[in-house]
Amino acid sequence: MADDTSSNSISRRKFLESAALSAAALGATASAQSPEDAAKGEHDRSGSNPGGPLSPSLSAENADSVMPPITDHGDVHPFKYPFTFSHKRTQEGGWARQVTVLDLPVANSIAGVNMRLTAGGIRELHWHSAGEWALMLYGSARITCLDQLGKPFIDDVKEGDIWFFPAGYPHSIQGLEPDGCEFLLVFDDGRFSEYNTFMLADWTAHTPRSVLAKNFNLSEKALSSIPRGELYIFQSAVPQTSLQDDRRTAAGNVGLSSQNFTFRLMQMAPSHNDKSGEVRIVDSSIFKASTTIAAAHVIVHPGGMREMHWHQNADEWQYYISGQARMTVFAASGRARTMDFQKGDVGYVQQTLPHYIENTGTEDLVFLEMFKSSYYADVSLNNWLTHLPPALVQAHLNIDRAAISAIPHGEKVIVPG
Ligand code: MN
Ligand code: MN
């Protein structure tokens, strides 16, 4: 190994994993190289890196790619993309950056956007072909939406709140005092681009002025200073009117929408909670507006692990909010790959591919599991194995009956360190 401390500690950890595998005498695998041979390879410096680590800070953050666990094998397409790599489109009033299927080719079903709006900064009135789910990460914002009955919805959201705007519903977002906001947008289409939405000022700029005048019952002169193209994100004054005033004015005589497009995610009681962490599952069963996106907000305490599982109904798009983790995705036919995750990374797991997410840091790991589905569902390996005839499990794993009865009974969601 290169003579840097992190590489040496990585090497030691990997060697211990290798030694444990060899001791387990797993026998031959589908791989041409047995775990024992591979372990020998690392031990005899086949895996050493005398030239030193490439991109040292990236290497340190991606230890499981630089020196994969001995159980990784074969060609599994990458399932990580850091928002840090994304172009940050900055305009007066805020910025946006996105991760789509063009950035992360495996991510077919969901695209994500990270956006900042200053106090008063506006994401222009717009709509799009994808449904939009959002989590407020910082600060506060006032959002507007028009429902399918033509009735307005206006609400203020703050850190820990979510919203959902169905495809085609027009909406806006504006940062509030004192410092605007930052949030994550999740779209139910991997090909969605935040830079290709239907915007009010873009449409009016590309409509004959005589048509606009006729439509609005205005003179063309009254329209002489409309924008010449999209605004996208722009600085404006912080709203001086209260939420109640804005609602009353917008409602007019049709009234407000009877639908609720916001949900106080972090104010709900956890769906699962124990000493290893907590999970909040929000799908259309409790947040009715969110018809095409299901979410799980997961907190894993240090040493804990989101248990081995998979999802029957949809691909999983992940966003890492804080802490650090590693995840191995098993892709059948002897193929498995482990990747490391930090704050701001996007992860992705295709439907039915099993995985775990282990907290590898010293702080809480907080991340989102997002699904293009009206409902959340998973299969827990522990739950499966503890609801079978024990002799059947014993015949597969070659472990004794006492070991089988020691496996956590039922779905634990998060297992302790
Ligand atoms: Mn939108
Ligand atoms: Mn999962």
Side-chain angles (χ1 to χ4, degrees), residues 83 97 111-116 132-138 161-163 182-187 317-321 344-346 368 370:
F83 266 107
R97 51 187 169 187
V113 170
N114 178 206
M115 189 177 291
R116 158 86 169 135
E132 170 181 316
W133 185 99
L135 171 66
M136 288 289 288
L137 299 170
Y138 167 82
D161 294 343
I162 61 177
W163 72 71
E182 188 178 334
F183 49 92
L184 177 77
L185 300 174
V186 179
F187 298 93
W317 186 94
Q318 302 168 338
Y319 178 75
Y320 288 84
I321 296 171
D345 289 347
V346 171
L368 289 172
M370 306 296 306

Side-chain angles (χ1 to χ4, degrees), residues 123 126-128 132 165 171 173 185 187 192 194 197:
R123 169 63 173 93
H126 72 286
W127 70 98
H128 32 71
E132 170 181 316
F165 299 140
H171 54 278
I173 310 157
L185 300 174
F187 298 93
F192 174 83
E194 169 65 12
T197 63

Side-chain angles (χ1 to χ4, degrees), residues 124 199-207 209 212 216 222-232 234:
E124 181 179 357
M199 283 176 263
L200 174 63
D202 196 18
W203 190 21
T204 52
H206 294 93
T207 302
R209 201 59 61 85
L212 280 185
F216 293 145
L223 296 164
S224 60
S225 56
I226 63 167
R228 300 160 69 105
E230 68 176 41
L231 300 169
Y232 186 57
F234 63 103

Side-chain angles (χ1 to χ4, degrees), residues 4 56 124 129 136-137 140 143 243 255 261 367 386 390 397 400:
D4 70 300
E124 181 179 357
S129 58
M136 288 289 288
L137 299 170
S140 59
I143 59 175
L243 176 60
F261 294 95
F367 69 99
T386 54
L397 293 182
D400 64 31

Side-chain angles (χ1 to χ4, degrees), residues 306 309 311 316 355 369:
R306 176 75 175 90
H309 69 282
H311 305 273
E316 172 175 339
H355 53 284
E369 304 176 11

Side-chain angles (χ1 to χ4, degrees), residues 380 382-388 404-412:
S380 152
N382 283 340
N383 187 55
W384 184 34
L385 296 184
T386 54
H387 290 91
L388 287 169
I404 287 168
S405 44
I407 293 174
H409 201 84
E411 177 160 11
K412 293 293 171 240

Side-chain angles (χ1 to χ4, degrees), residues 306-307 309-311 316 318 327 349 353 355 357 367 369 371 376 378:
R306 176 75 175 90
E307 68 174 342
H309 69 282
W310 68 93
H311 305 273
E316 172 175 339
Q318 302 168 338
M327 172 167 72
V349 186
L353 268 52
H355 53 284
I357 298 117
F367 69 99
E369 304 176 11
F371 306 88
Y376 176 89
D378 65 20

